Every structure is written in C-alpha cells, then in structure tokens.
Amino acid sequence: MTLLLTSVFGPYGVDDAYGRKENKMELFHNQVTREQGIFSYRFNHGSQGLYFLAENIDMPTAVLDFPTLKRFKKELKKGYDYIGISFIIPNFKKAKEMARLIRKLSPKSKIILGGHGVNIPGIESLMDYDYRCKGEGIYFLRELFGEKMDAPIRHPLEYSSFNRQVMGAPWPSDSGILITGVGCANKCRFCATSHFFGKYIPYLKTGRDIFDVCCRYEEEMGITDFGVLDENFLKMKDRALGLLELMETHDRHFSFAIFSSAETLKEIGDLDILVRMGITFVWVGVESKREIYLKNKDTDFPFLFKELKKRGISVLASLILFSEKHDKKTIWEDVDFVTSLGPDYVQFSPLGPIPGTKLYDDYERDGKLVKDVPYESQHGQGKIWFHHDHFSRDESEKFLRLAFDTDYIRNGASMLRVIKTTLAGYQYCSSHSDRRVKCRLPYFKKRLKMTRYFLPASTLFAQNRRSKTLLREIKKAYRLEFGRVNLRTLVPSLAVLFFSIKEYLRCRIISDVRIPKTSYRRQYKVPPQENRSAKPFFSDGAIPKIPYRLAEQPERS
C-alpha cells in the first residue's frame, strides 16, 4: 500500500483557466508587503502540513509539492493506492482537475481530499473523491489506514521557507518550521483555521517537547531560528515558560517568530521574558480600533507595540477591512489607527466569509453572499464576495490597495522598519543589567551585520519621504554602534545593489511572477526502532477527541 500527498499544480499567481493572478504563492508579497515594490519580501513556503502528515503515518508515502500538471500526470503512472490532495477554496478548480486525472490515469487509486477546500458546500456533487478529511489529518489517516492511533508524534525537520529573496538578493534558508499545535481557543467568527480544527490540538504539549525538536534542528541542520505555526503560541503559558527554563538551563539560544493575541501577550507580564525566550517577531491581530473581539479587550496597543519594538521584537499587525461597522469614514479610522501604531508590517485583510466559519453561516442565512463569484476569485486580495452596505465589490478592491499604500507612505518600507527595530533590540540588550537578556546580543549583531549590506540599494530605491528618513536614522545608528563602512562591508553591499537593479528591471520589463520549483520526496516512514524507544506523546495514554468525520464518502448516483 502506498500514498501520494500533493499540493495543487502550478503555475501560481497568473490568470488562467484555474486561478487568478492575485492568488500568489507568497505570503508576504501577497498579503503584507505587496505594494512596496522592490522592498517586498519574496519567500515561498512549502506545504508543511503534508510533510507533517507523511512523517506520522507508517504507510510508505511520497510528497509532491508545487507540481506542474505534466509532473503530476507523470506521478500518477506509479499507481498509488491512495492520493491525497490538499487545497484551499481559491484552488478548487485545480483540485477538481487533479481528481479527474486520477480517475482517468490511475483509476484504482482512492482519492482523499484535505485542506480548507473540503468545506465547499455540496462538494460531493462538484468533484469526484473517495474520502474527505475535515479537520485534523494525522489521526484521520491513521484511522483510515488502520494504524496505531496513539503512536507518538514525530516532528519533521523542514525549512520554514525557501526561494528567498530580499531586494532581489538571495537570502539564506536559515530558519526551520515548528508546528506546535493546530486550531485556536479564541475561535473568532471569521477565522477559517480555528473553525476547521474545532479546538486547539497541541502536538508539542510541553516545553520539553519543543526544546527537544529545536535541539534536533540545531544538531542535524545547524538551525536555531524558527517560524512557529501555532495560532496563539503563548496561550499555553506553562509550556512557554518550561521551554525558556530548559533553554537557559542548558545554555541553548533559539529564536522564534510567533503568532499571538494581545490578551496572551499581556498575560505574560514582563516582556523581557520574550527577549530571553528569543521571540524576535510576533503577528498580532489588531482587527479594529473598536473593541469588537474579546481577545483585544482593554488593550493599550500603542504602549504594547512600543514596548515590543524597543526590545527588538518586530510586530506584524493585521486589520480586518469591510466589517459590518465600516463605512467610508470609519474604515479610514481603523486604517489610521493601525498605521499610527508604527508596526513593522501590516496585513490588511478583507472580511471573507469562508465556508465552515460562523461568519459564512451568518452571511448565508442573511442572504449577503454574492453567489456568482467563482471560487478562484475568493482569494482575499481583490474584491469582496458579499454584499456590503457601504462598499461595492469594485470599491473594495480600490480601498484595499489604498490601505496598503497608506501604510507604505506613512511608515516607510517594512524592511527598513525591521532594521530600526533590530537596532533598538541591540541597544536594549547591550545596556540591560540582566545577563539573561544581554546574552541575546549575538543574535541582533548577526542580523544587523547582514542587513547593513542592503543600505546602499535601499538608498537608490527609496520611494517615499518616510523611507528616506528611516535610512538616515539607521545609517547614523550603524555608525555610532559599529563604525563606518569598511571594504569587507562594501563588497557584499555592491553585490546586493547589483541584484536589486537586476530584480527591478525584471519586474518592470518582464514580470514579477515567481513560480516555486517542484519538490518530490519518496517513501516517508518512521523507523520501527524509533517507534519502540519513543515515549508516548499523550502522557495519559488517551487519544484526543479530534473533530473530524472519518471516511466521509460522497453519494453516487
């Protein structure tokens, strides 16, 4: 018995029969720095869930990530017993075509659907499949294949992103991914992930679990910097403090980029704990100036962001546009509020009723959904797909772009904001009396050494007054802390300048589209001896109640 797990086929971020150009396969360039030109980050992120699934089942498994349609057809000739397709709603047409090809080229293969796309209403009549995984996937596959449900969870070692470029210059893949849990206890009514998983399901339940995985990364891959996939990482406070204790006891210095709610950050108390833990980036859902969500109740966002940034912790603030409270005045009050906080990054996210969420159910009941918008256009980077009292669909697209432009003009290029925050962290740690905080200096110094190479190119391409002001402040701080530029700094700086000019011309003359290369890995299987020696993941031996429906088969006429 064999299994193929695959993401949908490319190309991505282009207008064709299967998708739209706005649906880029790049998180930052698509949703955060999209209007910042040459300063926009260009990273691709692998389908981490597929690698995690493959690592935790016994069946021999191959993972095909970012395939072309031709490459996918070639893989079907191997005759897998099961083929799992992971997709989101805007990629529905691609998943449907892949299912059709499976039936044609590998008719004996059973089709398993996974990802948020499985929540599309009436999907059983829209495409062909055998099983549908709604929710957590590891226990779904283990039960489907008759494997041990209480087998320990093994965390794969994967880079957090690849094909990385900043201003056209290659940026090393120097960080790993940590998937500490899925779902979220807050369950905001618009949030697709928290509704999809039903509740928070921890994979790494203790600080020791996380620490051990981090040590494996360092010993096997030389990685000490991590992106954490967890909706609210610090919510399990004892787990976080347990990790910190182990790091300091064993003198292991890791750094983390995390998601967190404001309420959770406040519950931590002394924010120096975050510095000691190595938190260098936090994504916070501001959502609105108004206290619409309990997670933000009584939060002084200006103070919170100021305290984080002075400690060298970069902040990404997300804001919801086109909520029920928004008209053409109040929407700008929210945009003005979030940009006034001075975050390093801002994500403006249009309210999107995603099937499976309470928001979708409410809008479906109230007749607010625009029924003729195809799924490939429901990507959240263009027009809304519901009726709003104050905005037409065309207006929503323009307002979204203007919001990103407003942040860029007001706060400057995100890359420069991050450099300034990193300088603040360096200065904070260097003057701190606590040795546990001061020991974080090497991280900041290493980052600042690398980012200094980007200043000449930034000077050439700075597009607005705020970016130019940031550059002057940054250069002055560099001279005070590290002295003037020497030959060893000048040579890499000239290389970055060359790459940035090349990338600028490519985007202007050809296209800014970047397609990730296909990745293929064969025969995942945890060695039996590791299964025997590993401790049970759930200390009480109980299997968690996972909100999914096993082997949900479509009715066939």
Side-chain angles (χ1 to χ4, degrees), residues 73 178 391:
K73 291 178 182 178
L178 284 175
F391 299 93

Side-chain angles (χ1 to χ4, degrees), residues 69-81:
L69 197 54
K70 180 180 179 180
R71 179 66 180 81
F72 177 67
K73 291 178 182 178
K74 179 181 178 181
E75 194 66 21
L76 294 182
K77 296 178 182 179
K78 297 180 181 179
Y80 290 93
D81 297 288

